[in-house]
Amino acid sequence: MTAKMKELTDGSMQQQQGPNSCDSDSIKVFVRVRPLTKGTGLTTDGDKGQCLTVTSTNTILLNSKPEPRPFIYDHVADMETSQDSVFSIVAKNIVESCVNGYNGTIFAYGQTGSGKTFTMLGPSDSDNFTDDLRGVIPRSFEYLFYLINREVERSGNTKSFLCKCSFIEIYNEQIYDLLDSASASLFLRENIKKGVFVEGAVEKFVTSAAEAYQVLSMGWRNRRVASTSMNRESSRSHAVFTMTLESKETAKEVVNIRMSQLNLVDLAGSERQRDTHTEGTRLKEASSINLSLMCLGQVIMALVDVSNGKSRHICYRDSKLTFLLRDSLGGNAKTYIIANVHPGSKCFGETLSTLQFAQRAKLIKNKAMINEDTQGNVR
Amino acid sequence: MATPYSHDWRAVCEKFNNAQYLTEVESRKDPENDPFRSKYKARELLREIYCSLKNFDVGENENVTEADQRPKEQPIDGENDGRFGTGHCGHSPAGSRAAKLGAVEYYLGVNHVETEELSAGEEHLMNCMTFLEKCSISSENVSLFIQVRNQLGILWAGRDETEKAQGFLETAEAMYNRYMKEDGHPPMDITEFFVAEEDSLPEQERTKRFEMAYTHTLYYLAQVYKNLGLFEKAGSYCHSTLQRQLEFNQFIPLEWAINAATLSQYYITKSRYMEGRHCLSAASVIAGIAGEVPSEAASQENEAEAEKRDQLRQKRAEIARCWIKYCLNLLQDAKKLLEDNIGELDVDRQEELRAARRREEEEKERGRKNAVLFGSSDTFDSICSLEEKVSCVFPLDFEEARAIFLFGQTYVNQAREYFEMDGHVTDHIEIVQDHSALFKALAFFEEDLERRCKMHKRRVDMLEPICKDLNAQYYLLICRQLQFELAEIYYEMMDLKLAVANKQDDLDAHTVKKFNHLCSSSVKFYQMFLDSVRSPEGKWPEKLEDEVLRPALVAKFRVARLHSRFISSSPTVQLENLNRSLECYDFVVQYCRDNPEAKSAIETELELSEEMVSLLPLKMNRLRAKLASSN
């Protein structure tokens, strides 16, 4: 061994920065501005003033005082954007990845009347499969099954697919099964092989886009029924439609199984987010029971410094939604958030909160990281 | 002024009672489409009370500002002006009348705020302040003085005027402290302005309500300080809030315990172990009095029991996990203090720290007396005796470290009982990872290399099976963490074996075999980690994602070193290994050449890689020459 070599192998190493910081950019945000409406009975009818301008395919200008404020996203679609182009930008890639074994999630977010349902489902009175105005979901189903059939043909039938759907609703941190309206609330569990799942949720097998859409519609109806009979407001609940895709490939006596999930999430209306703690400076008041200072824990939690690389445990559990979709929020899944906004100046407040939410979503990063201790390793 | 027994006065009290009932009880049953019905009714009653009060006789020389004229100068809080001893004393008819009018204004203000009419609410609350200007603080009105400021604090914070809120709340705080110093009698409650004498509250109840109002002041201040970014101050106010809840027995045990445990995590991230230990001991004791865990049999029979069982078990497991972090950080901080530049224990530092500790011991006693201690008369002793079970000073040798390790390990076992692998995968693995980290920190203090190696082997035994069974599709990050950690453990063990072997003269076949096995295990896990970076088609990414950039390049670098470490007597095999090693070094160098922004992340490794890329070919050529001459 040369002296030089020896020096190298005995040489010590200075401490590097601790765990490497993380900047996972797996969440993309698509903002869509709906056209102004006439005669729909919305409060914004006849509202000529507009509170925002789309200035490029990724910038939107909010006409705030004293000066307009720009917001930048992965994609901004103006009023002229067609349903087909929304699908191409947002969902096409996610569906393709799904067939290749990746998990994917599409969130829809926005205030009531901002065009969320139109974007996701399409006009309410159509059959949704021939209509040119059909939304992201029917198009995704079509494309998914088109890809599946193509794969099966290409492989000369050595590949087969199995597709299951479940549909749940999260209201007030309780989970309800929309495919079984009689069921009580369900629990989230984790399994070493299949990740996070809702225990006991009904799974329906589907073999075509139309069947998948039927399952979705049925659940959607249940959501309405539940909201009238049980005093639940659908605008205050999150609905999660999950398609689980299992592909089986038999090649040379070896069976290769791949599982992936496509989640379509309808988030609670943004105008209902007031009661969450996204509000910044408002103080939490003591509850009337007077024993409980409910949010003291949240105050303390905000003090626990996460940035100094020290190990700590936070006792407050994730919300059910973030727990269920943990994988989508900055994991190895492809995730798109569609934020719908209404351009009317009367909607300024809601539009601002939607745009801010969408910006915060960009900041969701994977908090876990690979710890490595570089000290004294090179000897 | 109406005498307490007059017919008119009784009518006022009656109205007030009704208003209270409407606000607190009836309003919960208000229909969705008319949510404030009862509160509007209560508001009407309060207005009637106000009018009656205005019409009662006034003492001859008294002039009371008309409440319907806006006072010209709004009193603004912010500094504590000496309101003690100015204005009317609480007992004068005029003073008591002003206070009563102020109280009605207070209730009207709260009523408007609750019905989302903030500006009107603010106006009423400010009118209350104006009336109080005429009064000096006394046991009759000190509660009102404090509570109106609590309300104004909430109101202004809601408008993003945090400094304004801070002013009101800090004044309330100062008033409480001053009252307790100068008078301290259980003061009248704000509801008692409108009850007949015979219905006034017992002293104990008065104390309870007054202290609660002040606890709320601290609770709001904690939030204000957090919003202002004054974290340390916010922390100490949270601490005081918790202490007062305990002292006056106004808390829900499990909620309190979890909050105290969370506060402990704040302290340990600030390396304040004495406070952290105190919070955790209190959390454990209070969680202990939250009730007995119902048996599994009982919980199968009845849903309420099942819910209670799960809650109790979960919260206690959470507190156990906070204890684990306490032990872990204490060990890791001590290690940082004691290690030299190659990560071994520095004996001189150890001696220095021992001497420093002796000096500090006396001061510590003093410091301890400054910290707010948790406890009520019932719990104080149990909390102190739990504290004595584990140290809060940095361990300086193996024995001390081991005591902390063992304490942490009991909590590992407790936490794992609830967070079982089946059903709580992520939580379970986090606990196992902490357990492994505890072993790692303890191993640092162990002087015997063979025993140190055994400790690392324990880590392998707990992590490897999990790593094998975990589905990387749903747990990619955890998989990567485990792979990387396992690779590092094997690497560490290889180093230790080498150090042991270097002390012996010759290497026997068994040792060589073992050594090579450690090397190849380390390579295997680094390789698994590297493979997880590939696309499903098995392609290496053009550019590494930020979160894996450094780990991936470090893994390549380590694999390069490991290949050059393999021991073999065959020159051909040696050459193969060196060739692989060179390829990996080359990869690191090439990647940084193509992506210059990556250089800063792995400076040292890059430098070494560049040297090896120039040195290895020479070494290989010598080997080839040797091979050629021997054939």
Side-chain angles (χ1 to χ4, degrees), chain A residues 205-218:
Chain A
F205 288 96
V206 293
T207 56
S208 70
E211 275 178 36
Y213 200 80
Q214 237 172 355
V215 174
L216 179 84
S217 313
M218 190 182 90

Side-chain angles (χ1 to χ4, degrees), chain B residues 563-582:
Chain B
H563 277 304
S564 63
R565 287 286 175 89
F566 278 108
I567 300 173
S568 166
S569 49
S570 146
T572 330
V573 177
Q574 282 176 26
L575 206 58
E576 260 170 42
N577 284 333
L578 289 180
N579 203 18
R580 284 206 188 96
S581 182
L582 180 60

Side-chain angles (χ1 to χ4, degrees), chain B residues 525-553:
Chain B
F525 281 107
Y526 278 128
Q527 209 51 62
M528 275 165 88
F529 169 74
L530 288 166
D531 287 344
S532 81
V533 178
R534 293 172 189 273
S535 74
E537 293 77 41
K539 284 220 339 250
W540 254 89
E542 288 286 300
K543 259 180 98 79
L544 288 162
E545 296 258 337
D546 277 350
E547 79 243 38
V548 292
L549 173 70
R550 177 169 163 80
L553 293 176

Side-chain angles (χ1 to χ4, degrees), chain A residues 4 8 20 22 101 190 193 259 281 284 290 292 308 310-311 313 316-317 326 369 372 374, chain B residues 160 212 223 255 259 265 271 318 325 329 333 423 426-427 469 471 473 475 481 547 550 608 611:
Chain A
K4 187 75 186 161
L8 276 182
N20 50 305
C22 211
E190 276 189 283
K193 288 288 176 223
M259 296 264 277
T281 57
K284 301 287 177 226
N290 269 357
S292 174
N308 66 2
K310 281 215 171 189
S311 180
H313 177 63
Y316 293 87
R317 321 298 290 162
R326 193 191 297 182
M369 45 195 137
E372 46 140 353
T374 57
Chain B
D160 262 3
M212 199 70 205
Q223 297 178 61
E255 182 188 284
N259 286 343
Q265 301 300 287
S271 297
E318 299 276 11
K325 297 290 188 188
N329 280 290
D333 273 359
T426 312
D427 290 297
D469 288 341
N471 181 339
Q473 193 182 356
Y475 296 104
Q481 286 175 348
E547 79 243 38
R550 177 169 163 80
L608 285 164
E611 293 204 60

Side-chain angles (χ1 to χ4, degrees), chain A residues 347-359:
Chain A
C347 297
F348 178 86
E350 290 311 331
T351 297
L352 175 64
S353 86
T354 301
L355 292 175
Q356 285 174 328
F357 170 88
Q359 265 198 329

Side-chain angles (χ1 to χ4, degrees), chain B residues 71 73-77 83 126 129-130 133 168:
Chain B
E73 275 203 35
Q74 297 272 8
I76 293 293
D77 278 12
R83 270 207 198 82
M126 288 318 274
M129 296 275 284
T130 311
E133 291 236 286
F168 284 113

